[in-house]
Amino acid sequence: MATNNFSVANLLGEDAFGQTYRATLDGEYVVIKLLRITSSENTLQEMNYLGFVRHPNLVKVIGHCSDRFNRLLVSEHGNGRRGGSEKADVYSFGVILLELITGRGRSVDQRRTILRWAKDRIGQALDNSEFTDLVDSRLQEYDEDEMLRMISCAAASVYKSSRFRPKMRQIVQVLEGSMPWSIVWRENDKTFLTE
């Protein structure tokens, strides 16, 4: 009922995890994600990750449903502000960059997310160009300058507070090589890794 039977008129988008709908629940605007059927292990891993993540620029998961073929996540709506969502998009992109760089999932183990695990290792990589502990060991060869670009973009996206976080346009320019990586991550930005 909240999505008008998953009406196309309420469809906000679709990604690898499922379809996202605008909805009204108990008089409040919410977002409902209809998850694709996955293995129970993947579902548990995602739910474990959602329990770890707490960030002011990410919407909060307020409920879920797992009833046979219906697997739903209910989240805050975000009040339609394009600016608490652009910052969240940059943050989410940073998490994906970390996954690509490290070859690890969002939950490194039962106690740590990839964000906590990578924090010290990113400092070493950006200070000393020491990539061994951070970069996926399966990557036999890579361009060090390109890797520094990816690492600095990831660090600026997930560790900087929202008001200092770069815009997606800047991230793209750094990744393309048209801007130096110091545009998004400067020498004194190391303080964000100690917070």
Side-chain angles (χ1 to χ4, degrees), residues 98 101 118-131 134 144-156 159-160 181-182 184-187 189-190 193:
L98 276 180
I101 292 165
K119 212 172 203 183
D120 293 336
R121 292 165 175 86
I122 281 183
Q124 292 173 354
L126 293 175
D127 284 348
N128 311 323
S129 296
E130 177 52 56
F131 304 120
L134 179 68
E144 287 193 8
D145 183 61
E146 289 178 1
M147 185 58 70
L148 277 171
R149 289 175 181 280
M150 289 180 65
I151 293 169
S152 63
C153 286
Y159 297 116
K160 282 189 173 185
W181 61 268
S182 59
V184 295
W185 190 265
R186 294 176 179 83
E187 178 69 23
D189 287 340
K190 285 188 284 191
L193 296 174

Side-chain angles (χ1 to χ4, degrees), residues 67-122:
D67 178 31
R68 296 187 48 160
F69 298 110
N70 290 320
R71 295 188 183 198
L72 309 171
L73 287 179
V74 182
S75 305
E76 293 175 324
H77 186 270
N79 299 322
R81 292 175 296 175
R82 181 60 199 149
S85 63
E86 183 179 355
K87 296 294 187 180
D89 289 347
V90 170
Y91 181 87
S92 298
F93 185 73
V95 173
I96 291 168
L97 272 180
L98 276 180
E99 291 177 4
L100 289 172
I101 292 165
T102 64
R104 295 174 181 266
R106 294 176 183 176
S107 295
V108 174
D109 56 37
Q110 292 298 318
R111 295 172 294 129
R112 293 179 298 173
T113 65
I114 192 170
L115 303 178
R116 288 177 54 201
W117 178 88
K119 212 172 203 183
D120 293 336
R121 292 165 175 86
I122 281 183

